[in-house]
Amino acid sequence: MKIFQSEQIRELDAYTIKDEPVSSIDLMERAALELYKWYSEKYDRSRRVLIFAGPGNNGGDGLALARLLANNRYEPEVYYVSFTESTSPDWNENRDRLEKLGSVPFKTISSADQFPAISPGDIIVDAIFGSGLNRPVKGLPSEIIKQINFSDEEVVAIDIPSGLFGEDNSSNIRENIVKASYTLSFQFPKLSFFFAENEEFTGEWQILPIGLSKTAIENIFTPYSFILKEDIAPIILKRKKFDHKGIFGHGLLISGSYGKMGAAILSAKAALRTGIGLLTCHIPWGGNSIMQISVPEAMTESDSSEKNISDKPLTDRYDAVGIGPGIGTSAETGEVLHNLLKTCRKPLVIDADALNILSLNPKWNMILNENIILTPHPKEFERLTKPAENSYKRLQNQIKFSVDYNCFIVLKGAYTSVTTPEGKAYFNSTGNPGMATGGSGDVLTGIVLSLLAQGYSPEKSALAAVFLHGMAGDIAAEEFGFESVIASDLANKTGEAFRRIKA
């Protein structure tokens, strides 16, 4: 699913109106019908519903929803937030239709003291501003928004919470943004929905299809995409009856140190659970027994050091290499990473302590390449680049890093983002808060390594890995609950994740 910027959404609307063809008022009616379907499935007729409408097309959506609710025996009340004498043509048409219906109270708010009394259990529908807003809300609308937020009742935002920008909110006034319980976005999510600091505004967001032109969607370029099951299912390779372990690659996992062998074990198990043919783990010799007992399916290659990684393993006989889980940041381990960056010509995934070593040696970024995937969490990424004031700025830093150093970055989080050397950015749709647990990233490293070794391209490996990882977490959370998910569960549930993707 593409993620379009605000000005592109207007372009999509205009193309649909011209190409289908469909009138703009009928396109608005289509959106209102989807809003009504969602609302009627969520709330019964006993709840009072107050619709706050602005003067533009977002307000027009609210007026159309009010009419549909009234026609179906709900009792909506409309409060028009009047801060301009100008209203959109479609707003005017829907105002006329509502007036002809004659059963919906319509009250104009021209000052903050006209804000209606809100009672416990009331539902507020926010239709004041849409995605076209390009400057912070001030004046009367800001006062109404603050009172909506102060009411502490459930708020349903149409398309986008009023006051929130679709992309960069760096210059926005946060107290002047509606805090929605639910956001019903038309056709696509907005880019700002994927940023942690905006969750308090969007609440739980859902996508409502309104039939925008498929041709326009295909032809209008955007670097941003939202990855869904239907994107990943075709990526997964089908196995044939006469396939054997040699077909599915041999991976090398450089991992572990004294006290951190668990990271190596988690990563190894995940690689094996996601289909790798053969796995060799290069580990400190002191961890050999631990690994062979814990993961008998993996082979080991013992380092000459008892407690950390110090030898420079040969990589030519492997199909892919992973380095980082639990390796520590000693100087000799750093030399191993440096040598690997200079000499390894196989696909490479770099995680955890290997990223921390890389951040201490920024000149090494120049020898990264298009076969390398970095998998940092936000703090590790900040060490690689620089702190960002918000998630939007961090995303731009991530894209720039991928482009500048010709590598892939998997930035872990609620909507894990994958950026490419071409400047594309993908957001993952699977995963949950239960995955915020030690070792979760080590599991992801093992999955990425496994897919690389099996011959998936770096881009497909990154996308499929984060989706599988998140889905395994969702399956684990279904069984154990968020609080009880541990990293081992993620590795153990990847089989079910594969089955669900193929279903």
Side-chain angles (χ1 to χ4, degrees), residues 221-490:
F221 171 78
T222 173
Y224 307 113
S225 298
F226 188 38
I227 299 304
L228 305 172
K229 175 183 170 181
E230 52 264 38
D231 302 306
I232 300 303
I235 290 177
I236 303 302
L237 298 174
K238 292 181 173 59
R239 298 201 167 202
K240 301 174 184 177
K241 186 176 182 64
F242 290 97
D243 285 342
H244 53 83
K245 63 187 178 184
I247 295 290
F248 302 112
H250 189 174
L252 174 66
L253 178 63
I254 304 169
S255 56
S257 62
Y258 182 78
K260 295 181 180 179
M261 286 305 301
I265 290 165
L266 287 167
S267 194
K269 283 184 175 180
L272 290 159
R273 283 289 186 189
T274 45
I276 197 168
L278 294 164
L279 178 68
T280 295
C281 299
H282 183 99
I283 55 177
W285 70 258
N288 189 66
S289 296
I290 298 171
M291 179 63 76
Q292 298 227 294
I293 292 169
S294 301
V295 194
E297 299 87 352
M299 296 174 283
T300 61
E301 178 182 279
S302 295
D303 196 277
S304 61
S305 170
E306 178 186 8
K307 295 186 176 182
N308 65 345
I309 302 295
S310 62
D311 297 339
K312 300 177 177 66
L314 299 175
T315 59
D316 290 348
R317 69 188 183 101
Y318 300 102
D319 297 294
V321 179
I323 183 170
I327 62 172
T329 57
S330 70
E332 54 190 355
T333 303
E335 283 303 310
V336 173
L337 174 62
H338 191 208
N339 179 72
L340 195 65
L341 291 172
K342 291 189 295 182
T343 63
C344 181
R345 295 295 173 261
K346 301 298 175 69
L348 175 64
V349 54
I350 301 174
D351 183 36
D353 284 329
L355 292 171
N356 293 327
I357 293 171
L358 187 61
S359 68
L360 295 172
N361 299 276
K363 290 182 179 179
W364 298 0
N365 293 340
M366 301 305 298
I367 51 176
L368 297 175
N369 62 67
E370 71 278 4
N371 287 319
I372 292 177
I373 301 173
L374 311 182
T375 60
H377 58 58
K379 283 296 182 185
E380 288 167 340
F381 182 67
E382 283 189 359
R383 295 183 198 118
L384 283 170
T385 54
K386 59 183 178 181
E389 62 184 278
N390 57 39
S391 299
Y392 176 82
K393 299 293 187 185
R394 187 171 62 204
L395 175 64
Q396 302 312 308
N397 290 345
Q398 182 185 351
I399 294 170
K400 187 176 187 302
F401 193 100
S402 283
V403 172
D404 287 351
Y405 299 113
N406 198 32
C407 65
F408 292 84
I409 297 179
V410 174
L411 183 56
K412 295 175 282 196
Y415 295 102
T416 293
S417 54
V418 178
T419 52
T420 75
E422 297 79 29
K424 293 183 289 184
Y426 301 91
F427 293 90
N428 185 44
S429 61
T430 58
N432 62 80
M435 298 171 69
T437 183
S440 180
D442 301 317
V443 171
L444 178 61
T445 301
I447 298 173
V448 175
L449 172 61
S450 174
L451 298 181
L452 288 172
Q454 291 174 67
Y456 292 78
S457 70
E459 184 168 334
K460 289 181 178 179
S461 294
L463 297 179
V466 298
F467 193 89
L468 278 164
H469 184 246
M471 182 167 279
D474 291 340
I475 295 165
E478 289 171 11
E479 182 173 347
F480 304 117
F482 293 157
E483 292 80 6
S484 294
V485 172
I486 58 174
S488 296
D489 299 329
L490 307 183

Side-chain angles (χ1 to χ4, degrees), residues 33-350:
L33 281 166
E34 292 298 324
L35 291 169
Y36 170 73
K37 288 177 188 176
W38 183 93
Y39 189 95
S40 61
E41 290 173 4
K42 180 74 176 175
Y43 300 113
D44 61 36
R45 293 177 177 83
S46 67
R47 307 283 289 272
R48 180 182 176 220
V49 52
L50 300 87
I51 299 174
F52 290 84
N57 281 351
N58 193 254
D61 292 328
L63 299 183
L65 174 62
R67 173 170 42 80
L68 294 174
L69 287 170
N71 282 336
N72 288 277
R73 295 183 293 112
Y74 287 86
E75 297 181 355
E77 303 169 21
V78 174
Y79 293 88
Y80 169 48
V81 184
S82 177
F83 56 91
T84 177
E85 295 181 0
S86 176
T87 51
S88 74
D90 289 342
W91 187 99
N92 294 333
E93 176 65 25
N94 271 305
R95 175 68 185 101
D96 290 342
R97 292 178 181 183
L98 195 63
E99 194 168 19
K100 288 175 184 176
L101 190 64
S103 60
V104 178
F106 184 97
K107 300 177 181 179
T108 298
I109 297 177
S110 54
S111 64
D113 57 10
Q114 293 175 313
F115 190 87
I118 307 293
S119 302
D122 288 350
I123 307 299
I124 295 172
V125 174
D126 163 34
I128 303 172
F129 293 109
S131 59
L133 189 71
N134 56 17
R135 60 181 182 271
V137 175
K138 295 180 181 179
L140 175 64
S142 71
E143 296 176 47
I144 299 305
I145 286 171
K146 286 173 183 174
Q147 292 195 64
I148 288 173
N149 291 341
F150 183 75
S151 74
D152 205 29
E153 297 303 319
E154 288 191 28
V155 177
V156 179
I158 294 179
D159 200 33
I160 189 170
S162 289
L164 186 68
F165 301 151
E167 293 81 43
D168 183 8
N169 283 271
S170 304
S171 62
N172 212 338
I173 302 172
R174 297 181 67 81
E175 60 265 30
N176 294 352
I177 303 172
V178 164
K179 295 180 179 179
S181 311
Y182 302 95
T183 298
L184 308 179
S185 188
F186 296 136
Q187 199 79 43
F188 317 99
K190 310 300 184 283
L191 186 63
S192 57
F193 294 2
F194 295 95
F195 303 144
E197 60 267 27
N198 296 331
E199 183 185 16
E200 65 172 313
F201 306 122
T202 63
E204 179 184 325
W205 56 266
Q206 297 185 29
I207 305 302
L208 302 184
I210 60 171
L212 294 181
S213 167
K214 291 182 180 178
T215 301
I217 292 169
E218 290 173 3
N219 291 341
I220 296 176
F221 171 78
T222 173
Y224 307 113
S225 298
F226 188 38
I227 299 304
L228 305 172
K229 175 183 170 181
E230 52 264 38
D231 302 306
I232 300 303
I235 290 177
I236 303 302
L237 298 174
K238 292 181 173 59
R239 298 201 167 202
K240 301 174 184 177
K241 186 176 182 64
F242 290 97
D243 285 342
H244 53 83
K245 63 187 178 184
I247 295 290
F248 302 112
H250 189 174
L252 174 66
L253 178 63
I254 304 169
S255 56
S257 62
Y258 182 78
K260 295 181 180 179
M261 286 305 301
I265 290 165
L266 287 167
S267 194
K269 283 184 175 180
L272 290 159
R273 283 289 186 189
T274 45
I276 197 168
L278 294 164
L279 178 68
T280 295
C281 299
H282 183 99
I283 55 177
W285 70 258
N288 189 66
S289 296
I290 298 171
M291 179 63 76
Q292 298 227 294
I293 292 169
S294 301
V295 194
E297 299 87 352
M299 296 174 283
T300 61
E301 178 182 279
S302 295
D303 196 277
S304 61
S305 170
E306 178 186 8
K307 295 186 176 182
N308 65 345
I309 302 295
S310 62
D311 297 339
K312 300 177 177 66
L314 299 175
T315 59
D316 290 348
R317 69 188 183 101
Y318 300 102
D319 297 294
V321 179
I323 183 170
I327 62 172
T329 57
S330 70
E332 54 190 355
T333 303
E335 283 303 310
V336 173
L337 174 62
H338 191 208
N339 179 72
L340 195 65
L341 291 172
K342 291 189 295 182
T343 63
C344 181
R345 295 295 173 261
K346 301 298 175 69
L348 175 64
V349 54
I350 301 174

